[in-house]
PDB file of all heavy atoms in Angstrom:
ATOM      1  N   GLY B1538     -21.037 -56.739 124.476  1.00  0.00           N
ATOM      2  CA  GLY B1538     -21.313 -58.136 124.767  1.00  0.00           C
ATOM      3  C   GLY B1538     -21.385 -59.004 123.537  1.00  0.00           C
ATOM      4  O   GLY B1538     -21.646 -60.188 123.610  1.00  0.00           O
ATOM      5  N   TYR B1539     -21.193 -58.436 122.417  1.00  0.00           N
ATOM      6  CA  TYR B1539     -21.245 -59.240 121.176  1.00  0.00           C
ATOM      7  C   TYR B1539     -19.875 -59.809 120.924  1.00  0.00           C
ATOM      8  O   TYR B1539     -18.866 -59.209 121.215  1.00  0.00           O
ATOM      9  CB  TYR B1539     -21.667 -58.377 119.995  1.00  0.00           C
ATOM     10  CG  TYR B1539     -23.088 -57.922 120.069  1.00  0.00           C
ATOM     11  CD1 TYR B1539     -23.387 -56.670 120.623  1.00  0.00           C
ATOM     12  CD2 TYR B1539     -24.124 -58.765 119.657  1.00  0.00           C
ATOM     13  CE1 TYR B1539     -24.673 -56.251 120.735  1.00  0.00           C
ATOM     14  CE2 TYR B1539     -25.419 -58.340 119.761  1.00  0.00           C
ATOM     15  CZ  TYR B1539     -25.701 -57.107 120.286  1.00  0.00           C
ATOM     16  OH  TYR B1539     -26.982 -56.683 120.387  1.00  0.00           O
ATOM     17  N   THR B1540     -19.943 -60.900 120.427  1.00  0.00           N
ATOM     18  CA  THR B1540     -18.716 -61.551 120.033  1.00  0.00           C
ATOM     19  C   THR B1540     -18.469 -61.275 118.580  1.00  0.00           C
ATOM     20  O   THR B1540     -19.342 -61.522 117.749  1.00  0.00           O
ATOM     21  CB  THR B1540     -18.779 -63.064 120.243  1.00  0.00           C
ATOM     22  OG1 THR B1540     -19.056 -63.296 121.625  1.00  0.00           O
ATOM     23  CG2 THR B1540     -17.467 -63.731 119.873  1.00  0.00           C
ATOM     24  N   THR B1541     -17.371 -60.747 118.368  1.00  0.00           N
ATOM     25  CA  THR B1541     -17.070 -60.425 116.982  1.00  0.00           C
ATOM     26  C   THR B1541     -16.274 -61.550 116.378  1.00  0.00           C
ATOM     27  O   THR B1541     -15.501 -62.240 117.035  1.00  0.00           O
ATOM     28  CB  THR B1541     -16.291 -59.116 116.883  1.00  0.00           C
ATOM     29  OG1 THR B1541     -15.073 -59.279 117.618  1.00  0.00           O
ATOM     30  CG2 THR B1541     -17.079 -57.975 117.498  1.00  0.00           C
ATOM     31  N   HIS B1542     -16.494 -61.696 115.229  1.00  0.00           N
ATOM     32  CA  HIS B1542     -15.795 -62.731 114.485  1.00  0.00           C
ATOM     33  C   HIS B1542     -15.082 -62.098 113.327  1.00  0.00           C
ATOM     34  O   HIS B1542     -15.645 -61.276 112.641  1.00  0.00           O
ATOM     35  CB  HIS B1542     -16.748 -63.793 113.973  1.00  0.00           C
ATOM     36  CG  HIS B1542     -17.434 -64.552 115.057  1.00  0.00           C
ATOM     37  ND1 HIS B1542     -16.923 -65.705 115.618  1.00  0.00           N
ATOM     38  CD2 HIS B1542     -18.589 -64.283 115.720  1.00  0.00           C
ATOM     39  CE1 HIS B1542     -17.748 -66.145 116.558  1.00  0.00           C
ATOM     40  NE2 HIS B1542     -18.777 -65.301 116.647  1.00  0.00           N
ATOM     41  N   GLY B1543     -13.901 -62.511 113.214  1.00  0.00           N
ATOM     42  CA  GLY B1543     -13.229 -62.055 111.998  1.00  0.00           C
ATOM     43  C   GLY B1543     -13.410 -63.092 110.926  1.00  0.00           C
ATOM     44  O   GLY B1543     -13.035 -64.250 111.059  1.00  0.00           O
ATOM     45  N   LEU B1544     -14.028 -62.700 109.936  1.00  0.00           N
ATOM     46  CA  LEU B1544     -14.385 -63.646 108.880  1.00  0.00           C
ATOM     47  C   LEU B1544     -13.657 -63.264 107.619  1.00  0.00           C
ATOM     48  O   LEU B1544     -13.559 -62.110 107.264  1.00  0.00           O
ATOM     49  CB  LEU B1544     -15.891 -63.665 108.631  1.00  0.00           C
ATOM     50  CG  LEU B1544     -16.734 -64.010 109.850  1.00  0.00           C
ATOM     51  CD1 LEU B1544     -18.202 -63.872 109.494  1.00  0.00           C
ATOM     52  CD2 LEU B1544     -16.435 -65.412 110.329  1.00  0.00           C
ATOM     53  N   THR B1545     -13.148 -64.237 107.009  1.00  0.00           N
ATOM     54  CA  THR B1545     -12.544 -63.994 105.707  1.00  0.00           C
ATOM     55  C   THR B1545     -13.562 -64.254 104.627  1.00  0.00           C
ATOM     56  O   THR B1545     -14.392 -65.142 104.721  1.00  0.00           O
ATOM     57  CB  THR B1545     -11.317 -64.890 105.488  1.00  0.00           C
ATOM     58  OG1 THR B1545     -11.783 -66.255 105.605  1.00  0.00           O
ATOM     59  CG2 THR B1545     -10.270 -64.615 106.523  1.00  0.00           C
ATOM     60  N   GLY B1546     -13.492 -63.421 103.691  1.00  0.00           N
ATOM     61  CA  GLY B1546     -14.444 -63.592 102.592  1.00  0.00           C
ATOM     62  C   GLY B1546     -13.799 -64.282 101.420  1.00  0.00           C
ATOM     63  O   GLY B1546     -12.586 -64.286 101.247  1.00  0.00           O
ATOM     64  N   ARG B1547     -14.574 -64.868 100.683  1.00  0.00           N
ATOM     65  CA  ARG B1547     -14.119 -65.546  99.485  1.00  0.00           C
ATOM     66  C   ARG B1547     -14.992 -65.086  98.353  1.00  0.00           C
ATOM     67  O   ARG B1547     -16.200 -64.993  98.482  1.00  0.00           O
ATOM     68  CB  ARG B1547     -14.218 -67.036  99.649  1.00  0.00           C
ATOM     69  CG  ARG B1547     -13.714 -67.821  98.435  1.00  0.00           C
ATOM     70  CD  ARG B1547     -13.635 -69.282  98.749  1.00  0.00           C
ATOM     71  NE  ARG B1547     -12.700 -69.541  99.837  1.00  0.00           N
ATOM     72  CZ  ARG B1547     -12.586 -70.718 100.421  1.00  0.00           C
ATOM     73  NH1 ARG B1547     -13.352 -71.717 100.046  1.00  0.00           N
ATOM     74  NH2 ARG B1547     -11.704 -70.895 101.403  1.00  0.00           N
ATOM     75  N   LEU B1548     -14.331 -64.769  97.360  1.00  0.00           N
ATOM     76  CA  LEU B1548     -15.087 -64.247  96.233  1.00  0.00           C
ATOM     77  C   LEU B1548     -15.906 -65.338  95.599  1.00  0.00           C
ATOM     78  O   LEU B1548     -15.456 -66.446  95.382  1.00  0.00           O
ATOM     79  CB  LEU B1548     -14.141 -63.655  95.193  1.00  0.00           C
ATOM     80  CG  LEU B1548     -13.558 -62.309  95.573  1.00  0.00           C
ATOM     81  CD1 LEU B1548     -12.576 -61.868  94.515  1.00  0.00           C
ATOM     82  CD2 LEU B1548     -14.659 -61.282  95.701  1.00  0.00           C
ATOM     83  N   TRP B1549     -17.090 -64.986  95.353  1.00  0.00           N
ATOM     84  CA  TRP B1549     -17.975 -65.846  94.574  1.00  0.00           C
ATOM     85  C   TRP B1549     -18.396 -65.091  93.343  1.00  0.00           C
ATOM     86  O   TRP B1549     -18.328 -63.880  93.318  1.00  0.00           O
ATOM     87  CB  TRP B1549     -19.204 -66.223  95.406  1.00  0.00           C
ATOM     88  CG  TRP B1549     -18.860 -67.112  96.541  1.00  0.00           C
ATOM     89  CD1 TRP B1549     -18.644 -66.746  97.820  1.00  0.00           C
ATOM     90  CD2 TRP B1549     -18.649 -68.511  96.491  1.00  0.00           C
ATOM     91  NE1 TRP B1549     -18.348 -67.819  98.592  1.00  0.00           N
ATOM     92  CE2 TRP B1549     -18.340 -68.926  97.821  1.00  0.00           C
ATOM     93  CE3 TRP B1549     -18.690 -69.464  95.486  1.00  0.00           C
ATOM     94  CZ2 TRP B1549     -18.087 -70.263  98.129  1.00  0.00           C
ATOM     95  CZ3 TRP B1549     -18.437 -70.788  95.827  1.00  0.00           C
ATOM     96  CH2 TRP B1549     -18.142 -71.168  97.135  1.00  0.00           C
ATOM     97  N   PRO B1550     -18.856 -65.773  92.362  1.00  0.00           N
ATOM     98  CA  PRO B1550     -19.426 -65.032  91.218  1.00  0.00           C
ATOM     99  C   PRO B1550     -20.586 -64.182  91.706  1.00  0.00           C
ATOM    100  O   PRO B1550     -21.408 -64.626  92.478  1.00  0.00           O
ATOM    101  CB  PRO B1550     -19.908 -66.117  90.280  1.00  0.00           C
ATOM    102  CG  PRO B1550     -19.098 -67.313  90.664  1.00  0.00           C
ATOM    103  CD  PRO B1550     -18.755 -67.186  92.121  1.00  0.00           C
ATOM    104  N   ALA B1551     -20.537 -62.970  91.258  1.00  0.00           N
ATOM    105  CA  ALA B1551     -21.533 -62.039  91.784  1.00  0.00           C
ATOM    106  C   ALA B1551     -22.916 -62.484  91.361  1.00  0.00           C
ATOM    107  O   ALA B1551     -23.144 -62.912  90.238  1.00  0.00           O
ATOM    108  CB  ALA B1551     -21.234 -60.638  91.271  1.00  0.00           C
ATOM    109  N   SER B1552     -23.773 -62.393  92.238  1.00  0.00           N
ATOM    110  CA  SER B1552     -25.156 -62.744  91.942  1.00  0.00           C
ATOM    111  C   SER B1552     -26.003 -61.525  92.133  1.00  0.00           C
ATOM    112  O   SER B1552     -25.761 -60.710  93.008  1.00  0.00           O
ATOM    113  CB  SER B1552     -25.624 -63.870  92.851  1.00  0.00           C
ATOM    114  OG  SER B1552     -25.608 -63.420  94.201  1.00  0.00           O
ATOM    115  N   VAL B1553     -26.925 -61.422  91.313  1.00  0.00           N
ATOM    116  CA  VAL B1553     -27.813 -60.268  91.386  1.00  0.00           C
ATOM    117  C   VAL B1553     -28.871 -60.585  92.399  1.00  0.00           C
ATOM    118  O   VAL B1553     -29.865 -61.221  92.121  1.00  0.00           O
ATOM    119  CB  VAL B1553     -28.457 -59.968  90.039  1.00  0.00           C
ATOM    120  CG1 VAL B1553     -29.351 -58.749  90.126  1.00  0.00           C
ATOM    121  CG2 VAL B1553     -27.379 -59.770  89.002  1.00  0.00           C
ATOM    122  N   SER B1554     -28.623 -60.216  93.509  1.00  0.00           N
ATOM    123  CA  SER B1554     -29.619 -60.452  94.545  1.00  0.00           C
ATOM    124  C   SER B1554     -30.007 -59.129  95.112  1.00  0.00           C
ATOM    125  O   SER B1554     -29.178 -58.274  95.380  1.00  0.00           O
ATOM    126  CB  SER B1554     -29.049 -61.375  95.609  1.00  0.00           C
ATOM    127  OG  SER B1554     -27.960 -60.719  96.253  1.00  0.00           O
ATOM    128  N   SER B1555     -31.216 -58.986  95.264  1.00  0.00           N
ATOM    129  CA  SER B1555     -31.713 -57.701  95.732  1.00  0.00           C
ATOM    130  C   SER B1555     -32.274 -57.867  97.110  1.00  0.00           C
ATOM    131  O   SER B1555     -33.449 -57.748  97.349  1.00  0.00           O
ATOM    132  CB  SER B1555     -32.768 -57.181  94.774  1.00  0.00           C
ATOM    133  OG  SER B1555     -33.818 -58.132  94.699  1.00  0.00           O
ATOM    134  N   ALA B1556     -31.421 -58.165  97.950  1.00  0.00           N
ATOM    135  CA  ALA B1556     -31.883 -58.314  99.325  1.00  0.00           C
ATOM    136  C   ALA B1556     -31.345 -57.167 100.141  1.00  0.00           C
ATOM    137  O   ALA B1556     -30.262 -56.649  99.921  1.00  0.00           O
ATOM    138  CB  ALA B1556     -31.409 -59.643  99.882  1.00  0.00           C
ATOM    139  N   THR B1557     -32.105 -56.771 101.029  1.00  0.00           N
ATOM    140  CA  THR B1557     -31.653 -55.675 101.885  1.00  0.00           C
ATOM    141  C   THR B1557     -30.737 -56.232 102.961  1.00  0.00           C
ATOM    142  O   THR B1557     -30.998 -57.248 103.584  1.00  0.00           O
ATOM    143  CB  THR B1557     -32.843 -54.988 102.518  1.00  0.00           C
ATOM    144  OG1 THR B1557     -33.597 -55.976 103.220  1.00  0.00           O
ATOM    145  CG2 THR B1557     -33.703 -54.355 101.453  1.00  0.00           C
ATOM    146  N   LEU B1558     -29.683 -55.520 103.128  1.00  0.00           N
ATOM    147  CA  LEU B1558     -28.731 -55.927 104.145  1.00  0.00           C
ATOM    148  C   LEU B1558     -29.088 -55.175 105.396  1.00  0.00           C
ATOM    149  O   LEU B1558     -28.917 -53.977 105.505  1.00  0.00           O
ATOM    150  CB  LEU B1558     -27.310 -55.589 103.692  1.00  0.00           C
ATOM    151  CG  LEU B1558     -26.233 -55.918 104.754  1.00  0.00           C
ATOM    152  CD1 LEU B1558     -26.238 -57.396 105.056  1.00  0.00           C
ATOM    153  CD2 LEU B1558     -24.888 -55.471 104.270  1.00  0.00           C
ATOM    154  N   GLU B1559     -29.619 -55.887 106.295  1.00  0.00           N
ATOM    155  CA  GLU B1559     -30.082 -55.246 107.492  1.00  0.00           C
ATOM    156  C   GLU B1559     -29.649 -56.085 108.669  1.00  0.00           C
ATOM    157  O   GLU B1559     -29.379 -57.271 108.558  1.00  0.00           O
ATOM    158  CB  GLU B1559     -31.602 -55.090 107.478  1.00  0.00           C
ATOM    159  CG  GLU B1559     -32.079 -54.178 106.368  1.00  0.00           C
ATOM    160  CD  GLU B1559     -33.448 -54.562 105.891  1.00  0.00           C
ATOM    161  OE1 GLU B1559     -33.939 -55.645 106.272  1.00  0.00           O
ATOM    162  OE2 GLU B1559     -34.031 -53.803 105.135  1.00  0.00           O
ATOM    163  N   ASP B1560     -29.582 -55.410 109.699  1.00  0.00           N
ATOM    164  CA  ASP B1560     -29.150 -56.129 110.878  1.00  0.00           C
ATOM    165  C   ASP B1560     -30.336 -56.841 111.477  1.00  0.00           C
ATOM    166  O   ASP B1560     -30.804 -56.562 112.563  1.00  0.00           O
ATOM    167  CB  ASP B1560     -28.539 -55.154 111.884  1.00  0.00           C
ATOM    168  CG  ASP B1560     -27.933 -55.902 113.057  1.00  0.00           C
ATOM    169  OD1 ASP B1560     -27.697 -57.101 112.936  1.00  0.00           O
ATOM    170  OD2 ASP B1560     -27.743 -55.274 114.084  1.00  0.00           O
ATOM    171  N   CYS B1561     -30.834 -57.675 110.715  1.00  0.00           N
ATOM    172  CA  CYS B1561     -31.911 -58.499 111.224  1.00  0.00           C
ATOM    173  C   CYS B1561     -31.740 -59.843 110.620  1.00  0.00           C
ATOM    174  O   CYS B1561     -31.224 -59.999 109.518  1.00  0.00           O
ATOM    175  CB  CYS B1561     -33.269 -57.909 110.889  1.00  0.00           C
ATOM    176  SG  CYS B1561     -33.484 -57.583 109.150  1.00  0.00           S
ATOM    177  N   SER B1562     -32.120 -60.753 111.309  1.00  0.00           N
ATOM    178  CA  SER B1562     -31.877 -62.107 110.860  1.00  0.00           C
ATOM    179  C   SER B1562     -33.179 -62.828 110.758  1.00  0.00           C
ATOM    180  O   SER B1562     -34.200 -62.434 111.281  1.00  0.00           O
ATOM    181  CB  SER B1562     -30.925 -62.813 111.830  1.00  0.00           C
ATOM    182  OG  SER B1562     -31.529 -62.821 113.126  1.00  0.00           O
ATOM    183  N   ASP B1563     -33.054 -63.866 110.041  1.00  0.00           N
ATOM    184  CA  ASP B1563     -34.206 -64.730 109.887  1.00  0.00           C
ATOM    185  C   ASP B1563     -34.606 -65.257 111.245  1.00  0.00           C
ATOM    186  O   ASP B1563     -33.763 -65.707 112.019  1.00  0.00           O
ATOM    187  CB  ASP B1563     -33.833 -65.875 108.949  1.00  0.00           C
ATOM    188  CG  ASP B1563     -35.036 -66.668 108.581  1.00  0.00           C
ATOM    189  OD1 ASP B1563     -36.110 -66.470 109.157  1.00  0.00           O
ATOM    190  OD2 ASP B1563     -34.903 -67.510 107.709  1.00  0.00           O
ATOM    191  N   PRO B1564     -35.842 -65.131 111.585  1.00  0.00           N
ATOM    192  CA  PRO B1564     -36.266 -65.683 112.885  1.00  0.00           C
ATOM    193  C   PRO B1564     -35.927 -67.145 113.019  1.00  0.00           C
ATOM    194  O   PRO B1564     -35.624 -67.628 114.098  1.00  0.00           O
ATOM    195  CB  PRO B1564     -37.782 -65.451 112.902  1.00  0.00           C
ATOM    196  CG  PRO B1564     -37.998 -64.369 111.937  1.00  0.00           C
ATOM    197  CD  PRO B1564     -36.921 -64.474 110.910  1.00  0.00           C
ATOM    198  N   ALA B1565     -35.994 -67.823 111.916  1.00  0.00           N
ATOM    199  CA  ALA B1565     -35.635 -69.233 112.010  1.00  0.00           C
ATOM    200  C   ALA B1565     -34.164 -69.385 112.379  1.00  0.00           C
ATOM    201  O   ALA B1565     -33.792 -70.180 113.227  1.00  0.00           O
ATOM    202  CB  ALA B1565     -35.941 -69.933 110.693  1.00  0.00           C
ATOM    203  N   THR B1566     -33.404 -68.554 111.742  1.00  0.00           N
ATOM    204  CA  THR B1566     -31.988 -68.655 112.071  1.00  0.00           C
ATOM    205  C   THR B1566     -31.723 -68.170 113.482  1.00  0.00           C
ATOM    206  O   THR B1566     -30.855 -68.656 114.173  1.00  0.00           O
ATOM    207  CB  THR B1566     -31.154 -67.847 111.087  1.00  0.00           C
ATOM    208  OG1 THR B1566     -31.590 -66.486 111.133  1.00  0.00           O
ATOM    209  CG2 THR B1566     -31.353 -68.389 109.677  1.00  0.00           C
ATOM    210  N   GLU B1567     -32.489 -67.202 113.859  1.00  0.00           N
ATOM    211  CA  GLU B1567     -32.319 -66.739 115.227  1.00  0.00           C
ATOM    212  C   GLU B1567     -32.671 -67.831 116.210  1.00  0.00           C
ATOM    213  O   GLU B1567     -32.030 -68.009 117.228  1.00  0.00           O
ATOM    214  CB  GLU B1567     -33.180 -65.509 115.472  1.00  0.00           C
ATOM    215  CG  GLU B1567     -32.641 -64.260 114.793  1.00  0.00           C
ATOM    216  CD  GLU B1567     -33.566 -63.096 115.040  1.00  0.00           C
ATOM    217  OE1 GLU B1567     -34.673 -63.311 115.603  1.00  0.00           O
ATOM    218  OE2 GLU B1567     -33.193 -61.978 114.685  1.00  0.00           O
ATOM    219  N   GLU B1568     -33.686 -68.497 115.841  1.00  0.00           N
ATOM    220  CA  GLU B1568     -34.063 -69.596 116.721  1.00  0.00           C
ATOM    221  C   GLU B1568     -32.987 -70.657 116.748  1.00  0.00           C
ATOM    222  O   GLU B1568     -32.719 -71.276 117.753  1.00  0.00           O
ATOM    223  CB  GLU B1568     -35.367 -70.182 116.234  1.00  0.00           C
ATOM    224  CG  GLU B1568     -36.529 -69.235 116.449  1.00  0.00           C
ATOM    225  CD  GLU B1568     -37.793 -69.829 115.893  1.00  0.00           C
ATOM    226  OE1 GLU B1568     -37.749 -70.972 115.418  1.00  0.00           O
ATOM    227  OE2 GLU B1568     -38.829 -69.167 115.978  1.00  0.00           O
ATOM    228  N   ARG B1569     -32.440 -70.814 115.567  1.00  0.00           N
ATOM    229  CA  ARG B1569     -31.374 -71.796 115.569  1.00  0.00           C
ATOM    230  C   ARG B1569     -30.180 -71.305 116.381  1.00  0.00           C
ATOM    231  O   ARG B1569     -29.461 -72.059 116.997  1.00  0.00           O
ATOM    232  CB  ARG B1569     -30.943 -72.065 114.142  1.00  0.00           C
ATOM    233  CG  ARG B1569     -31.966 -72.855 113.363  1.00  0.00           C
ATOM    234  CD  ARG B1569     -31.321 -73.420 112.119  1.00  0.00           C
ATOM    235  NE  ARG B1569     -30.816 -72.373 111.270  1.00  0.00           N
ATOM    236  CZ  ARG B1569     -31.561 -71.778 110.356  1.00  0.00           C
ATOM    237  NH1 ARG B1569     -32.801 -72.105 110.182  1.00  0.00           N
ATOM    238  NH2 ARG B1569     -31.024 -70.810 109.641  1.00  0.00           N
ATOM    239  N   ASP B1570     -30.016 -70.012 116.315  1.00  0.00           N
ATOM    240  CA  ASP B1570     -28.855 -69.484 117.026  1.00  0.00           C
ATOM    241  C   ASP B1570     -29.026 -69.606 118.533  1.00  0.00           C
ATOM    242  O   ASP B1570     -28.080 -69.831 119.269  1.00  0.00           O
ATOM    243  CB  ASP B1570     -28.636 -68.023 116.654  1.00  0.00           C
ATOM    244  CG  ASP B1570     -28.133 -67.940 115.221  1.00  0.00           C
ATOM    245  OD1 ASP B1570     -27.609 -68.950 114.728  1.00  0.00           O
ATOM    246  OD2 ASP B1570     -28.302 -66.878 114.634  1.00  0.00           O
TER     247      ASP B1570
END
Side-chain angles (χ1 to χ4, degrees):
Chain B
Y1539 291 94
T1540 302
T1541 60
H1542 296 270
L1544 302 175
T1545 59
R1547 182 171 299 171
L1548 285 176
W1549 292 97
S1552 64
V1553 181
S1554 64
S1555 59
T1557 56
L1558 177 61
E1559 296 150 349
D1560 187 17
C1561 54
S1562 59
D1563 189 351
T1566 58
E1567 287 178 352
E1568 291 177 3
R1569 288 196 300 273
D1570 289 339

